[in-house]
């Protein structure tokens, strides 16, 4: 891709009130169009970092540069409005973005088609499966039309078969839209399956404890041998980090 | 802008991906074809999984609705009347103390023929509905204000909750002293009964809005007003409707209490006044007939107005489990 920097995180530190340091001296630079997986144990500060990038919270020290247009965010819960249909949920994002009323319907249907949900556009969230709901949430995030897409464990609550399909779907959407994606997960295999780069965060405080670049990202699957090999390598490093806390 | 140019042609993207995947030795066209196939593959796979993981909505048949929710209460009422009639026939109580169903029905008929019943129903219904609507107009903004402005809620919230416990009949003497025997007295008492319920319902509804919905609203770029109108208010609707329903019940009760106590002056002839008049005439048949009419109207409003409203709202949100109502 272009090689421009989309997100630059510089000597970032975060502490909540008088509590312990959650993030300490995090340095990271993410290129435009890059797919980065942020990996770490539960409670290591992944969500905190993502919220800081999203601008939902302010850093204690250091700085974060993000594109002026901002970032779209997707959470573990789909957080769809239960009184709106799938299409209306996407339209809400378009409306808040300032898209004129006449153009909303068509654009929403187009975005739902991107996630293969054109047929379910008139269904309400409770009529959709967990995987479908997350795809609507993805369409809604795409509707924001921001250059950066932040995802906080979006598939963690799904069963393995559905998650596997959504990995493929997300990869396809990424290739098609050229978005910069920061994908947070505590699942090593998921990170090795999806990322062009995997960034490992240590716990207490959260620091960058390792980085892996994956040269060949096409045609990967969760069961691919190269994904398995990388997972083993990353897991080893992760365990080393966790063991440090035992002493 | 990289993201503007974004929707790369699907074909081109697929070709690129496939070329990268298959390496040299195969024509790009063939590879693009492969990628296309893979995409179609994913689509059909996803469609299959979607079908498996959702179940078609089973609408309850009208007949089933009738047998499960309409028939039981009707049967119960019929049984109750039969038991009452049986008691009157067997025990032979004094008819001026325990009248039979037929006596009560005749009293109702007499009221209808003289036109007093229609007049009383119309007067009370009009006051009840108007009073309730005023309560909605007063209670809704007040509830929103208290729900969204925390310091105000801390100060006023407990008092409003307290007012809900206070029987609004307690306001009748004060209202008579302030407004005399006029309609204003009746409306005042109705408002004091209904407004706290509506306010509390709205506050409870807003409190139950899942925090992630607010967060998503913010992420999507909603400012304070749009967050309130597009996210918080619709999300709080179930609590609000529950508050409205209770508000109506309180309106109706307060109205009857006010009409029983405050008779005369320019206060018209409502169901409460009719009840009071029958008591003065020691007409137990008339008293019971009026009680039944008051009860019937309360149930009717609930059935034709609030129940469908509530059911539709809950069904839309998938909150209606089974069909008990
Ligand atoms: N709003 C907050 N106030 C205080 N502490 C917080 C807050 N959010 C997160 N934390 C703390 O920061 C740490 C990291 O949390 P989080 O970023 O949610 O971890 P992760 O997403 O990696 O599981 C945890 O120890 C958590 O208790
Ligand atoms: Mg988290």
């Amino acid at each position: 891709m272009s090689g421009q920097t989309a997100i630059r995180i510089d000597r970032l530190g975060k502490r909540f009130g008088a509590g312990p340091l959650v993030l300490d001296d995090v340095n990271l630079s993410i290129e435009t169009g890059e797919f980065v997986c942020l990996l770490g144990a539960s409670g290591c500060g992944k969500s905190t970092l993502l919220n800081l990038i999203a601008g939902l919270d302010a850093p204690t020290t250091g700085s974060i540069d993000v594109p002026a247009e901002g970032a779209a965010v997707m959470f573990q819960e789909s957080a769809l409005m239960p009184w709106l249909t799938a299409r209306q949920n996407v339209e809400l994002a378009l409306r808040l973005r300032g898209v004129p009323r006449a153009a909303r319907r068509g654009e929403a249907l187009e975005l739902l088609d991107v996630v293969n949900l054109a047929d379910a556009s008139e269904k309400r969230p409770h009529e959709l499966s967990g995987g479908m709901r997350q795809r609507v949430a993805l369409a809604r995030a795409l509707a924001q039309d921001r250059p950066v897409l932040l995802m906080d464990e979006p598939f963690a609550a799904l069963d393995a078969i559905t998650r596997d399909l959504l990995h493929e779907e997300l990869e396809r959407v990424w290739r098609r839209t050229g978005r910069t994606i920061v994908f947070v997960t505590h699942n090593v295999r998921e990170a090795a399956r999806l990322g062009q780069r995997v960034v490992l965060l240590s716990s207490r405080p959260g620091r960058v404890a390792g980085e892996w670049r994956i040269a060949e990202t096409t045609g990967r699957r969760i069961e691919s041998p190269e994904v398995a090999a990388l997972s083993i390598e990353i897991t080893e490093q992760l365990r080393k980090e966790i063991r440090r806390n035992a002493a | 802008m990289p993201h503007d140019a974004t929707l790369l042609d699907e074909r081109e993207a697929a070709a690129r991906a496939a070329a990268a995947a298959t390496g040299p030795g195969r024509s790009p066209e063939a590879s693009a074809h492969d990628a296309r196939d893979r995409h179609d593959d994913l689509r059909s796979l996803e469609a299959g999984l979607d079908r498996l993981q959702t179940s078609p909505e089973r609408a309850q048949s009208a007949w089933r609705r009738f047998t499960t929710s309409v028939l039981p209460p009707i049967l119960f009422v019929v049984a109750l009347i039969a038991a009452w009639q049986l008691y009157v026939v067997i025990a032979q109580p004094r008819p001026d103390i325990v009248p039979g169903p037929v006596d009560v029905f005749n009293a109702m008929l007499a009221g209808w023929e003289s036109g007093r019943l229609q007049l009383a129903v119309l007067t009370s219904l009009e006051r009840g509905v108007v009073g309730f609507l005023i309560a909605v107009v007063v209670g809704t903004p007040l509830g929103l204000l208290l729900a969204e402005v925390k310091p105000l809620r801390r100060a006023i919230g407990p008092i409003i909750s307290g007012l809900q416990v206070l029987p609004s009949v307690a306001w009748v003497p004060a209202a008579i002293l302030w407004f005399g025997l006029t309609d204003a007295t009746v409306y005042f008492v109705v408002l004091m009964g209904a407004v706290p319920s509506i306010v509390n319902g709205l506050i409870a509804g807003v409190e139950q809005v899942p925090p992630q919905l607010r967060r998503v609203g913010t992420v999507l770029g909603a400012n304070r007003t749009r967050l309130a109108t597009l996210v918080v208010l619709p999300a709080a609707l179930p609590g609000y409707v529950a508050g409205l329903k209770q508000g109506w019940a309180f309106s109706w009760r307060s109205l009857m209490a006010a009409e029983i106590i405050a008779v005369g002056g320019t206060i018209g002839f409502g169901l409460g006044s009719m009840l009071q008049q029958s008591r003065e005439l020691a007409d137990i048949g008339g008293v019971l007939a009026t009680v039944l009419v008051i009860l019937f109207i309360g149930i009717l409003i609930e059935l034709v107005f609030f129940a469908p409203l509530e059911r539709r709202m809950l069904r839309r949100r998938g909150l209606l489990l089974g069909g008990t109502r």
Side-chain angles (χ1 to χ4, degrees):
Chain A
M1 288 259 157
S2 53
Q4 287 175 311
T5 303
I7 301 171
R8 187 195 303 279
I9 300 170
D10 202 28
R11 311 182 66 173
L12 178 78
K14 177 69 187 176
R15 178 196 296 281
F16 290 99
L21 209 52
V22 175
L23 295 172
D24 181 32
D25 195 28
V26 174
N27 294 285
L28 196 63
S29 124
I30 295 168
E31 276 176 22
T32 300
E34 200 179 4
F35 195 137
V36 174
C37 286
L38 271 181
L39 179 70
S42 278
C44 77
K46 304 182 295 292
S47 299
T48 305
L49 181 53
L50 210 71
N51 286 343
L52 289 171
I53 299 174
L56 294 172
D57 207 346
T60 312
T61 58
S63 66
I64 300 179
D65 291 328
V66 289
E69 299 95 324
V73 192
M74 206 179 138
F75 302 102
Q76 180 174 334
E77 335 79 54
S78 58
L80 299 174
M81 308 299 161
W83 60 93
L84 298 177
T85 62
R87 173 176 56 77
Q88 289 166 334
N89 264 289
V90 178
E91 281 178 13
L92 179 67
L94 295 172
R95 179 172 178 185
L96 289 171
R97 196 184 95 198
V99 175
R101 178 187 289 269
R104 281 182 217 148
R105 193 193 177 94
E107 196 168 328
L109 288 175
E110 225 166 80
L111 285 163
L112 282 172
D113 189 52
V114 169
V115 294
N116 194 14
L117 276 178
D119 292 339
S121 62
E122 297 311 310
K123 291 216 157 88
R124 288 177 203 283
H126 75 272
E127 298 171 284
L128 303 174
S129 69
M132 294 164 91
R133 268 179 250 164
Q134 283 305 56
R135 272 146 63 204
V136 177
L138 178 58
R140 181 175 65 182
L142 294 176
Q144 289 187 261
D145 198 28
R146 307 268 167 85
V148 174
L149 175 56
L150 307 173
M151 309 179 84
D152 193 353
E153 312 202 16
F155 308 144
L158 303 178
D159 66 279
I161 297 173
T162 308
R163 195 185 312 146
D164 197 27
L165 275 184
L166 284 188
H167 286 160
E168 252 176 84
E169 186 73 64
L170 177 62
E171 194 178 3
R172 204 178 59 77
V173 167
W174 168 60
R175 287 189 198 286
R176 184 171 160 183
T177 61
R179 294 275 207 288
T180 308
I181 297 185
V182 181
F183 186 102
V184 160
T185 178
H186 61 248
N187 183 332
V188 179
R189 273 193 173 241
E190 186 169 54
R193 154 77 181 83
L194 281 175
Q196 281 180 307
R197 181 149 59 114
V198 178
V199 175
L200 180 66
L201 278 186
S202 64
S203 300
R204 290 196 204 160
R207 289 198 182 104
V208 175
E211 257 191 65
W212 291 264
R213 276 180 192 279
I214 296 112
E216 186 50 70
T217 57
T218 38
R220 263 186 307 180
R221 290 173 156 277
I222 197 92
E223 66 276 5
S224 304
E226 67 267 26
V227 170
L230 183 60
S231 301
I232 291 171
E233 203 184 315
I234 298 174
T235 304
E236 226 141 72
Q237 181 71 28
L238 178 64
R239 290 191 172 175
K240 216 157 75 191
E241 284 299 325
I242 293 171
R243 236 178 247 121
R244 275 196 314 115
N245 287 288
Chain B
M1 289 298 100
H3 65 289
D4 282 346
T6 50
L7 291 178
L8 297 180
D9 179 30
E10 182 103 2
R11 213 189 172 108
E12 186 197 333
R16 254 200 250 166
T22 51
R26 298 192 54 185
S27 73
E29 288 77 28
S31 310
H33 206 79
D34 276 5
R36 263 252 121 107
D37 279 355
R38 273 231 313 276
H39 180 204
D40 289 345
D41 223 36
L42 178 61
R43 287 215 144 202
S44 60
L45 207 57
E46 246 171 13
L49 202 59
D50 289 350
R51 190 67 60 81
L52 284 176
Q53 290 179 340
T54 50
S55 46
E57 189 101 318
R58 272 170 290 118
Q60 229 180 24
S61 73
W63 172 246
R64 222 189 113 72
R65 271 261 305 279
F66 179 76
T67 54
T68 55
S69 49
V70 181
L71 207 53
I74 290 179
L75 286 179
F76 178 71
V77 169
V78 169
L80 213 59
I81 294 173
W84 179 10
Q85 180 64 40
L86 207 65
Y87 169 76
V88 170
V89 169
I90 293 172
Q92 301 273 343
R94 276 175 54 184
D96 57 332
I97 294 178
V98 182
V102 180
D103 302 319
V104 173
F105 180 75
N106 284 337
M108 236 181 259
L109 213 60
W112 180 271
E113 274 163 359
S114 69
R116 285 164 68 244
L117 184 62
Q118 296 94 309
L119 175 70
V121 167
L122 276 181
T123 311
S124 290
L125 208 54
E126 189 199 319
R127 278 186 192 150
V129 170
V130 171
F132 173 67
L133 290 181
I134 297 175
V136 172
V137 171
V138 173
T140 305
L142 189 61
L144 260 186
L145 195 71
L146 292 191
E148 289 296 287
V149 186
K150 285 244 168 62
L152 219 53
R153 179 164 80 224
R154 275 190 221 111
I156 307 179
I159 295 166
I160 300 255
S161 295
L163 277 181
Q164 217 181 350
V165 182
L166 180 76
S168 53
V169 206
W171 290 106
V172 176
I176 292 178
L177 291 179
W178 286 331
F179 306 110
L181 290 173
T182 62
D183 276 354
T185 292
V186 177
Y187 285 129
F188 177 77
V189 175
V190 168
L191 281 190
M192 292 315 280
V195 169
S197 297
I198 295 173
V199 169
N200 274 320
L202 195 48
I203 291 178
V206 170
E207 239 158 38
Q208 280 159 17
V209 174
Q212 65 258 35
L213 294 189
R214 284 176 186 266
R215 197 168 48 153
V216 157
T218 313
V219 163
L220 293 179
N223 56 22
R224 231 185 126 88
T225 19
R226 295 194 120 192
L227 195 67
T229 54
L230 294 178
V231 178
V232 175
L233 249 192
L237 204 59
Y240 181 52
V241 169
L244 288 183
K245 206 166 103 169
Q246 204 188 35
W248 163 253
F250 276 51
S251 294
W252 192 236
R253 287 188 213 180
S254 312
L255 177 66
M256 290 306 121
E259 283 182 353
I260 290 173
I261 299 177
V263 182
T266 59
I267 291 182
F269 184 75
L271 281 165
S273 333
M274 185 158 145
L275 199 58
Q276 182 63 8
Q277 210 175 57
S278 303
R279 185 194 71 96
E280 277 160 3
L281 298 174
D283 172 14
I284 184 68
V287 168
L288 288 183
T290 315
V291 167
L292 287 181
V293 170
I294 294 172
L295 178 68
F296 178 73
I297 289 176
I299 295 175
L300 193 71
I301 296 271
E302 155 81 27
L303 279 187
V304 301
F305 185 68
F306 287 105
L309 186 74
E310 205 172 25
R311 199 177 319 118
R312 219 184 97 210
M313 176 189 67
L314 294 181
R315 177 171 307 137
R316 276 176 141 212
R317 293 166 194 237
L319 296 172
L320 200 67
L321 301 173
T324 51
R325 280 207 283 171

